[in-house]
Amino acid sequence: MAQAYSTGDGDGSGRTGPGARLHRLGRRLRTDRGLWRRGVVLAVLAVLLALVMLLHAQIPNSVGNLGSLTETFLPWLGLLVPVLLVLALVRRSATALVALLVPVIVWFSLFGGLLTDKQGGGGDLTVVTHNVNADNPDPVGTAKDVAASGAQVVALEELTARAVPTYEKALKAAYPYHSVQGTVGLWSTYPLSDTRPVNIELGWTRAMRSTVTTPGGDVAVYVAHMPSVRVKLDSGFTASQRDKSANALGEAISAERLERVVLLGDLNGTMNDRALTAVTSQMRSTQGAAGSGFGFSWPAAFPMARIDQIMVKGVEPESSWTLPATGSDHLPIAARVTV
């Protein structure tokens, strides 16, 4: 007697293969009302995630600088989407899956442009900035790594009195012109003039300004190291001194008489952080304009934020990138611009 059997690919209507599976899926969507009823909480969470990303500027800083903290790590909120996706699949919730489209669209509208490679091949001035870390165990190696970038202008932050002679000696051959003001310094293959500290209301010098005479014309180069920020359980994101210094730096740059301006330094904040608006509102980020990817620079072991910045006005960004790790807890960053 013949024995009938099924391969499991049919749907009872004579269809087999992928067509049968699609038919069964469509039938389930029509008949299983639970697909739309389940996962309402997940759908709400997806919409809330989208609102946080979209309306981050409305999150108040009055409570622990929560707004600035959110903006510092804003791109990483996108990692919550795959988590919600897995939960939606486990719950077999069509409602949650549809709702997840909202944060996906918002994230790509905010950061999708950073995923494309905008680097060009032009430019006539290469600049590098690096927070070398006061506790750097290998300042000589760090100096050599920075010089190997081929940059004509190098800014270093977090210089200690003990380490300054080491950096001066290591960089002397490649950079005949340099100036150190407090804990920041500028090295250049081109002459420097009108070099002076910039008061960012700290009580000691962590910012400077100098005119670099390039073949393309004079450029005002600012080097700055904003005060550090801390995340504390009792007081939140403590950044009041950083914010005050950022406002002072913004005023100094606004008063600059030269048309071409380049800012190099560790600003202890991202371009999304509203607290840096006094600076970011009048300058362009080379990474945003001519980089590839997010260009995260800190911490060096696992970069999560771009708190080191190269910003310009009056010159054209051509390319922007991060350099390999040194003995510091920050990555050096570089950019090439057209003067």
Side-chain angles (χ1 to χ4, degrees):
M1 181 176 68
Q3 183 177 1
Y5 65 91
S6 171
T7 63
D9 289 334
D11 63 353
S13 63
R15 298 185 180 90
T16 60
R21 288 191 288 271
L22 289 174
H23 181 74
R24 288 199 302 273
L25 178 60
R27 185 169 58 191
R28 181 178 297 174
L29 290 173
R30 291 192 301 271
T31 59
D32 186 0
R33 295 182 179 180
L35 285 173
W36 299 100
R37 292 177 178 176
R38 291 190 296 267
V40 174
V41 172
L42 292 176
V44 171
L45 290 175
V47 173
L48 288 176
L49 175 60
L51 290 175
V52 169
M53 291 189 290
L54 187 63
L55 304 176
H56 61 86
Q58 307 306 316
I59 300 175
N61 261 344
S62 56
V63 180
N65 281 300
L66 183 59
S68 287
L69 177 60
T70 301
E71 290 163 342
T72 298
F73 299 103
L74 193 61
W76 292 95
L77 292 181
L79 291 181
L80 295 177
V81 171
V83 175
L84 292 175
L85 174 61
V86 171
L87 294 175
L89 292 174
V90 170
R91 289 284 291 146
R92 296 167 60 190
S93 169
T95 300
L97 290 173
V98 171
L100 274 175
L101 292 175
V102 181
V104 169
I105 292 172
V106 171
W107 191 93
F108 275 98
S109 69
L110 291 174
F111 304 111
L114 293 174
L115 301 180
T116 60
D117 188 350
K118 299 179 288 295
Q119 296 188 92
D124 51 22
L125 179 67
T126 301
V127 297
V128 164
T129 183
H130 189 24
N131 179 325
V132 296
N133 187 1
D135 298 321
N136 192 321
D138 184 20
V140 174
T142 296
K144 290 181 178 179
D145 290 341
V146 169
S149 67
Q152 290 86 41
V153 175
V154 170
L156 301 181
E157 302 88 48
E158 209 165 295
L159 295 169
T160 64
R162 177 192 297 183
V164 166
T166 302
Y167 286 106
E168 289 176 331
K169 181 178 179 181
L171 295 171
K172 183 177 181 179
Y175 301 97
Y177 307 97
H178 90 280
S179 175
V180 174
Q181 305 285 329
T183 62
V184 297
L186 186 65
W187 279 258
S188 174
T189 60
Y190 302 127
L192 304 178
S193 61
D194 196 14
T195 303
R196 59 182 183 270
V198 173
N199 181 12
I200 55 174
E201 301 186 11
L202 274 175
W204 69 96
T205 302
R206 283 177 50 152
M208 63 176 290
R209 177 251 184 242
S210 185
T211 298
V212 180
T213 302
T214 77
D218 287 349
V219 180
V221 176
Y222 285 76
V223 184
H225 183 192
M226 294 292 102
S228 299
V229 297
R230 297 288 186 269
V231 180
K232 301 179 181 179
L233 292 177
D234 59 343
S235 55
F237 192 61
T238 57
S240 57
Q241 185 57 61
R242 189 278 311 265
D243 300 349
K244 181 179 179 181
S245 293
N247 291 334
L249 178 62
E251 291 176 3
I253 293 173
S254 178
E256 174 58 51
R257 295 183 178 182
L258 290 182
E259 179 182 350
R260 305 181 186 95
V261 183
V262 174
L263 170 62
L264 308 169
D266 173 6
L267 302 191
N268 270 308
T270 68
M271 293 296 293
N272 294 316
D273 192 337
R274 75 193 70 173
L276 301 183
T277 300
V279 177
T280 58
S281 63
Q282 57 180 318
M283 305 190 80
R284 301 172 66 192
S285 163
T286 58
Q287 185 67 24
S292 177
F294 291 94
F296 294 146
S297 63
W298 177 88
F302 187 81
M304 297 183 64
R306 186 180 176 88
I307 62 175
D308 302 275
Q309 305 291 350
I310 299 176
M311 286 188 272
V312 299
K313 69 175 180 178
V315 301
E316 186 64 26
E318 301 292 349
S319 56
S320 187
W321 64 97
T322 57
L323 295 170
T326 68
S328 173
D329 58 341
H330 291 244
L331 295 178
I333 62 173
R336 189 158 179 82
V337 302
T338 295
V339 175

